[in-house]
Amino acid sequence: MDVRELAAQVRLGRPRAVARLISLVENAAENIAEYSTGNAARAGGEGGAEPRGANRVLREVMADLATGAARPYTARVIGLTGAPGVGKSTSTGMLIRAFRRRGSRVGVLAVDPSSPFTGGALLGDRVRMQEHATDPEVFIRSMSSRGHLGGLAWATPQALRVLEAAGCDVILVETVGVGQAEVDVARLADTTVVILAPGMGDGVQAAKAGILEVADVLVVNKADRDGVQATVRELRNMTGLAEPPWRPPIVMTVASREEGVDDLTAALDKHQAYLDESGEGRRRRLARARDEIEAIALARLRSRFAGLHGDRLEALAVRLLDAGTDPYTAADDLLAALR
């Protein structure tokens, strides 16, 4: 089946076609990402040659999905992020059930960390969502981060477009277990949900965690544990500094027992209404489109730059080491080759 036929099947919502097209996109994006970071051998490039096959696949897929779209991309994109062990996958499963009760078609992109030694990944997030495996209105895809930083995979934006084209009403993007600064999901999602658990640190730890600043909704999961009120109090002190018109609500849940799911969906709906009424939703989507275009353009530039690694760069490095030039002049010399 060629790319055009796959795209047509995706628009009909066929799960197998969605899976195959995401695999094509993911593998092609990985080849480009490998090459753009200078690892031409792993990407399949030879002698500085750009991986044209990967570029062709991505171009065909995105063009076919865009030209054949019956409607603009309108899926609600909800990002779920937080530290390892706070219950992101369980919370994602809880939200799948909540949105399916409303009759929504749900897509899930669950990003798992890859090994820094072997490059492999367990892809275990979907294990907690097995109850939805036979539901034709739910599509769950696990993705390896493949070394990409920020909490997402390099191909996540393209996979998101595939799920939108497949007619998903809601797309849940679950990030890798993140620390204090991995905030890429905020640039991809309409609503960013940051999940915490009691006992993850004191007030100082909360204050310096940059990830909390991108939250549209804060969830304190495992609220049946000791220390939950202290965590909520610290979060209230922090969100009290937030600028209106939107101040992130704090929701307490026990995702394993679906406690607090109504409060969480109400908070999500309220934020969606705010996005629609204020125009903030369109502003965020425009920013997402700009970021996507910029990322593709920069990847192409990096792939061209990778071809310059060799004699020219080596000679400039020797001159810099021997005090024959300065780093800025050397960089200008290297960039001149791109023109």
Side-chain angles (χ1 to χ4, degrees):
M1 191 179 294
D2 62 18
V3 170
R4 183 163 297 175
E5 179 62 21
L6 270 178
Q9 293 292 314
V10 164
R11 288 192 291 273
L12 294 175
R14 304 287 169 77
R16 184 169 295 184
V18 174
R20 292 182 67 184
L21 199 58
I22 290 179
S23 293
L24 274 177
V25 165
E26 192 174 10
N27 291 332
E30 175 63 14
N31 283 339
I32 293 174
E34 287 283 0
Y35 196 90
S36 68
T37 55
N39 200 340
R42 284 180 60 181
E46 294 182 3
E50 191 176 348
R52 300 186 185 279
N55 268 316
R56 179 183 59 79
V57 168
L58 281 176
R59 283 176 178 275
E60 279 191 52
V61 170
M62 293 301 118
D64 285 340
L65 291 181
T67 56
R71 58 182 175 83
Y73 296 134
T74 57
R76 288 177 66 179
V77 182
I78 300 173
L80 296 97
T81 189
V86 296
K88 294 188 298 297
S89 296
T90 308
S91 297
T92 300
M94 179 178 71
L95 285 175
I96 293 173
R97 289 187 289 275
F99 284 115
R100 286 296 296 124
R101 285 194 288 269
R102 298 181 177 187
S104 300
R105 171 177 280 188
V106 181
V108 179
L109 294 174
V111 185
D112 276 301
S114 57
S115 167
F117 302 105
T118 66
L122 179 62
L123 301 182
D125 283 344
R126 59 187 172 186
V127 172
R128 298 182 179 90
M129 309 174 201
Q130 281 300 300
E131 65 183 279
H132 307 288
T134 58
D135 188 340
E137 297 300 307
V138 177
F139 184 90
I140 301 171
R141 177 64 178 234
S142 285
M143 307 178 72
S144 167
S145 65
R146 303 196 186 192
H148 183 73
L149 302 178
L152 299 176
W154 203 87
T156 303
Q158 287 75 37
L160 184 69
R161 288 196 174 275
V162 175
L163 290 182
E164 286 184 310
C168 290
D169 302 303
V170 179
I171 301 174
L172 305 174
V173 181
E174 180 191 337
T175 73
V176 169
V178 299
Q180 293 177 322
E182 292 86 351
V183 295
D184 280 6
V185 69
R187 292 196 289 268
L188 189 71
D190 300 318
T191 301
T192 301
V193 179
V194 175
I195 304 175
L196 306 98
M200 300 296 288
D202 58 13
V204 175
Q205 195 72 16
K208 69 179 184 178
I211 190 173
L212 298 182
E213 298 179 40
V214 303
D216 297 307
V217 176
L218 287 161
V219 173
V220 181
N221 190 34
K222 305 182 181 181
D224 53 346
R225 293 187 176 182
D226 293 337
V228 63
Q229 292 302 328
T231 300
V232 170
R233 184 168 56 251
E234 289 159 3
L235 291 175
R236 282 181 180 152
N237 290 336
M238 188 198 71
T239 57
L241 302 175
E243 293 292 330
W246 182 259
R247 187 166 281 125
I250 301 167
V251 180
M252 291 187 288
T253 65
V254 183
S256 59
R257 300 200 297 260
E258 288 204 37
E259 294 179 10
V261 63
D262 292 338
D263 292 337
L264 178 53
T265 53
L268 294 173
D269 290 342
K270 185 176 180 180
H271 186 254
Q272 185 62 44
Y274 158 73
L275 293 176
D276 295 338
E277 294 166 4
S278 66
E280 175 68 10
R282 179 168 177 81
R283 188 197 69 77
R284 291 189 181 193
R285 291 190 168 224
L286 283 173
R288 185 198 308 172
R290 287 196 300 268
D291 287 344
E292 188 175 0
I293 295 168
E294 183 181 23
I296 293 170
L298 288 175
R300 295 295 306 279
L301 286 174
R302 283 195 296 267
S303 69
R304 292 178 60 191
F305 181 79
L308 299 176
H309 283 229
D311 295 341
R312 180 187 294 268
L313 181 59
E314 185 69 21
L316 289 170
V318 170
R319 287 182 59 197
L320 179 61
L321 190 63
D322 295 339
T325 187
D326 65 89
Y328 288 92
T329 302
D332 289 341
D333 191 342
L334 194 61
L335 290 172
L338 290 177
R339 297 193 290 269

